[in-house]
Structures are given as C-alpha cells and as structure tokens.
C-alpha cells in the first residue's frame, strides 16, 4: 500500500542520513533524494538543495560522458557495476575526487539509481604527492647516475631501480632480473672480491662499500660504486641487503688521466738537473722533484707536507722567507745564496 511504501522510504531516509558517505538517488537524470553527507560533499546547506539538480551538472565536465554511459548501463542491465573514481563539482566551484558505487533500485515504483560517493580527495593528493616524489627521485638518480638495489637473502629475489638497469645497459621492461644475471655482468677480475666483501658483511651484520668494474649489456666496461647495508629481522639475523649503485666511470677515467698526467710531469721534472719544488700558502711542500730530494738527502715522502722552515732549517729559511712570501702573493723574483748541501758540499743556489 502507499502507506507502507511511505513508511519504507522514511526508514530508508533515516538510515542513510546517518551514513558517513554521500548517498543520493537519481531518477530521470536528476537527484530525487540525498543524505546529509551528500549535502556536505557538494557544499550545500541542506540535502534538499540537491533535489531536482541534474546529475550531469554535478559531475566534472571531463567525466560527464563516462558518468552518463555508466548511468544508462545500470538502468538497462539493472545490475551493479564496479566502483569507479571520478570528479564532482562543489557549489563553490571546487573539485573533489570521489569513488562512486552505483546500483539499480526502485524509487516510488520507478526505475532509479542509488549512488554512494566516498571522498578520496586527500588520498588522491597523497598519491599524487608520492608519484611526484618518485618522479623527482627517479630524475635525481638519472642525473646523478645512481640507483638503488635490494636483495632478499631468503628468496634470493633481486630488485633494481630503473637507473641501475640503465647503468648495466639493460631495459627494465625487457629484462628478467635474477641473481645469476647480475653476477654475469660483474667483471671476472672483480667478481670474487665483491662476493667476498658481501659474504663478510652478511656474517658481520655490517655495511660495506666497494668500487668495481661491470660489463654492460653491449660488452663495454664501466666502473660502479656500491654501498650496501644489511636488513635485520626481529631476531637480529640478516634477511636482506639494500643500498645504492652509482656509475663512476667518468670519475675513474678522469682519475686515470690525472695519474697519467702526473706521471708524465714527474718524469719530465725528475729529468731536470735543477731542483724544483712547490709549496702552498702555508709554506708546506706539495711537490718536489728528484734532484731537490737528492740535494737534501731526504726521501720525498719525508718532505711532502712539512714546512720550508722545518726542512731547510731556521738559518736558510730566514734568507728565503721574504722571497717565498712575495712569490705566494704573485711577485716574481730571484734569490741567490750559498749553502752547504749534504753530500755535495758548499754550493751556490739561484732560486727563481
């Protein structure tokens, strides 16, 4: 009877008005019922302010077509459909992200659709923030040529960030990552030492670092720096290793070029019969050639880092002090003095 129907609808209204989610009923494209949470979600004073509003006008313009198709599907098939995410418009023009669940019902004897909206705006913001942080991390790793890795010591499952794949010259989308694959890319001459360091770190439950060579997918060699630390379970046992891998090939090449340059410089200066030395602003020796060390009868390593006064003595230092100070300030000049050299006797020295 009509009385029973009204009582049923009143019980329905009382029940859904207490629900924390926004609930409303759509009939003929418009809202015919809404609860208090729906009013709060759409930013209106009362649920009655939503009555008669076209649901299309409350959906974000970019989501209206999909929402209309979904509504038609529910009314046609009269079956529930999976929840979807979409955007709605508030009365103040603001946009909220919602998760929508809809189902077919009869309202006052006519076909209608009940929709439940869960506000997921904050969750979406958190997800977007996480995605942005991940994007920044990925970009930072790309620029720094550094990636992160993780290995589960129980399952032996290995995880690499995209940058580690790039360092090894591999495509993360096309590569099945295994422990055997990673080992196959270690340079044969460096593999045993790296595995030894890793085993020692696991045994001692400590972190370790290493620089070693790898063989990229194209066969070229590269240098990498690995830093890893253990992950312990509640019993203090090592269950995993995690850390970073950085491509240091350019640095290694620069170091090798510098070493070669210094070797050539040393060869040239050591062949010169005159004494050559270099001191910093603290008047500490940073370089001497072989002749200078021979004159002093002191090994080069016993001179480097010491001050001129410490090496030549107070008497000689008093003669060259002003000259050295002037040279360090950019002045050019020459100083001449006689000095007794160990093993050489009295010799005249002209210093420029």
């Amino acid at each position: 009877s009509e009385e029973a129907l009204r009582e049923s609808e009143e019980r329905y209204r009382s029940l859904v008005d207490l629900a924390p989610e926004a609930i409303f009923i759509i009939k003929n494209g418009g809202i015919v019922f809404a609860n208090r949470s729906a009013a709060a979600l759409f930013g209106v004073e009362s649920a009655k302010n939503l009555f008669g509003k076209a649901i299309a006008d409350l959906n974000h313009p970019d989501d209206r077509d999909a929402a209309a198709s979904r509504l038609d599907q529910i009314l046609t098939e009269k079956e529930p459909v999976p929840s979807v995410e979409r955007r709605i418009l508030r009365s103040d023009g603001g946009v909220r992200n919602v998760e929508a669940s809809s189902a077919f019902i009869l309202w006052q004897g006519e076909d209608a659709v009940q929709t439940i909206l869960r506000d997921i705006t904050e969750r979406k913001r958190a997800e977007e923030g996480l995605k942005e942080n991940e994007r920044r991390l990925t970009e930072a790793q790309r620029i720094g040529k550094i990636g992160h890795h993780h290995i589960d010591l129980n399952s032996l499952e290995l995880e690499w960030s995209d940058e580690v794949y790039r360092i090894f010259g591999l495509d993360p989308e096309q590569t099945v990552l295994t422990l055997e694959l990673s080992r196959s890319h270690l340079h044969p001459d460096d593999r045993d030492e790296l595995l030894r360091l890793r085993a020692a770190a696991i045994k001692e439950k400590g972190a370790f670092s290493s620089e070693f060579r790898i063989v990229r997918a194209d066969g070229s060699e590269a240098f990498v720096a690995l830093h890893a630390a253990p992950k312990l379970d509640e019993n203090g046992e090592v269950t995993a290793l995690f850390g970073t891998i950085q491509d240091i090939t350019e640095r290694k090449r620069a170091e090798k070029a510098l070493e070669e340059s210094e070797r050539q410089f040393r060869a040239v200066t050591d062949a010169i019969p005159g004494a050559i030395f270099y001191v910093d602003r603290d008047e500490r020796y940073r370089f001497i050639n072989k002749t200078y060390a021979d004159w002093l009868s002191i090994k080069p390593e016993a001179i480097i880092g010491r001050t001129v006064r410490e090496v030549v003595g107070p008497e000689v230092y008093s003669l060259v002090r002003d000259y050295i100070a002037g040279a360090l300030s950019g002045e050019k000049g020459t100083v001449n003095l006689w000095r007794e050299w160990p093993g050489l006797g009295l010799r005249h020295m002209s210093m420029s």
Side-chain angles (χ1 to χ4, degrees):
S1 67
E2 292 183 4
E3 183 64 26
L5 180 62
R6 280 196 299 271
E7 289 179 0
S8 176
E9 289 180 356
E10 285 301 322
R11 286 195 298 270
Y12 173 84
R13 294 173 192 270
S14 299
L15 179 64
V16 299
D17 239 2
L18 300 175
E21 290 88 6
I23 301 175
F24 53 89
I25 294 174
I26 306 166
K27 188 172 71 171
N28 298 324
I31 294 178
V32 294
F33 170 78
N35 68 349
R36 295 175 183 174
S37 296
L41 178 62
F42 285 99
V44 296
E45 184 177 350
S46 167
K48 292 182 179 180
N49 294 119
L50 294 173
F51 292 2
K53 286 190 176 292
I55 188 61
D57 294 339
L58 299 178
N59 287 320
H60 190 281
D62 294 342
D63 296 343
R64 284 172 184 166
D65 290 343
S69 297
R70 177 181 168 85
L71 189 63
D72 291 341
Q73 178 186 354
I74 296 171
L75 290 170
T76 300
E77 299 178 358
K78 295 181 173 57
E79 295 289 341
V81 294
S83 298
V84 295
E85 294 182 4
R86 70 169 189 253
R87 290 159 295 177
I88 56 100
L89 300 177
R90 286 172 51 85
S91 61
D92 59 6
V95 177
R96 304 295 289 182
N97 293 91
V98 298
E99 182 181 74
S101 302
S102 300
F104 175 83
I105 66 168
L106 287 174
W107 181 258
Q108 297 177 346
E110 297 183 23
D111 291 355
V113 173
Q114 175 183 270
T115 295
I116 301 175
L117 300 183
R118 181 176 294 108
D119 191 344
I120 59 171
T121 304
E122 297 308 318
R123 190 192 82 190
K124 294 294 288 186
R125 286 175 180 168
E127 289 174 354
E128 290 300 320
L130 180 60
K131 288 179 181 178
E132 177 61 17
N133 288 339
E134 290 176 346
R135 187 196 67 77
R136 291 176 179 176
L137 175 61
T138 298
E139 182 65 9
Q141 290 185 349
R142 185 190 66 79
I143 294 172
K145 296 183 178 181
I146 184 171
H148 59 270
H149 63 94
H150 179 277
I151 177 173
D152 186 309
L153 298 178
N154 294 319
S155 65
L156 298 183
E157 291 184 359
L158 188 62
E159 296 178 14
W160 285 355
S161 67
D162 287 351
E163 187 58 30
V164 177
Y165 282 95
R166 281 191 283 270
I167 291 173
F168 280 78
L170 299 169
D171 184 345
E173 300 297 329
Q174 303 294 325
T175 303
V176 178
L177 184 60
T178 64
L179 195 58
E180 291 73 19
L181 176 68
S182 68
R183 286 179 177 177
S184 71
H185 284 280
L186 300 177
H187 193 283
D189 295 341
D190 297 348
R191 184 182 300 132
D192 290 346
E193 176 62 13
L194 177 62
L195 296 179
R196 184 193 68 78
L197 288 173
R198 192 183 74 174
I202 295 173
K203 181 179 179 180
E204 298 169 7
K205 302 178 183 180
F208 75 100
S209 299
S210 179
E211 294 183 359
F212 55 93
R213 290 165 293 176
I214 63 170
V215 181
R216 288 191 170 115
D218 61 4
S220 63
E221 291 184 8
F223 281 89
V224 298
L226 178 143
H227 303 279
K231 182 178 180 181
L232 307 180
D233 63 14
E234 61 274 10
N235 298 317
E237 297 301 320
V238 180
T239 60
L241 290 174
F242 64 95
T244 61
I245 296 177
Q246 183 175 20
D247 185 346
I248 58 171
T249 306
E250 293 181 4
R251 193 197 83 192
K252 284 292 188 179
R253 288 173 179 167
E255 289 175 354
K256 185 176 181 180
L258 179 60
E259 288 174 2
E260 178 60 21
S261 175
E262 290 179 344
R263 187 193 65 77
Q264 294 178 3
F265 178 73
R266 169 66 67 180
V268 171
T269 55
D270 281 350
I272 295 175
I276 299 175
F277 64 90
Y278 163 72
V279 297
D280 62 19
R281 292 197 171 275
D282 294 326
E283 297 184 1
R284 293 185 181 277
Y285 286 97
R286 294 304 176 193
F287 172 82
I288 63 169
N289 71 342
K290 183 176 181 300
T291 300
Y292 191 69
D294 289 345
W295 285 6
L296 294 173
S297 293
I298 305 176
K299 293 182 178 181
E301 54 268 27
I303 298 176
I304 300 302
R306 296 173 63 191
T307 65
V308 176
R309 180 186 176 88
E310 291 172 338
V311 173
V312 303
E315 182 180 350
V316 175
Y317 178 72
S318 65
L319 298 175
V320 300
R321 178 180 55 200
D322 292 342
Y323 164 77
I324 293 176
L328 289 173
S329 65
E331 299 177 3
K332 294 182 179 181
T334 301
V335 61
N336 295 282
L337 66 146
W338 288 89
R339 187 191 170 187
E340 188 78 26
W341 295 94
L344 295 178
L346 186 64
R347 291 290 188 273
H348 177 265
M349 181 177 68
S350 178
M351 185 166 61
S352 301

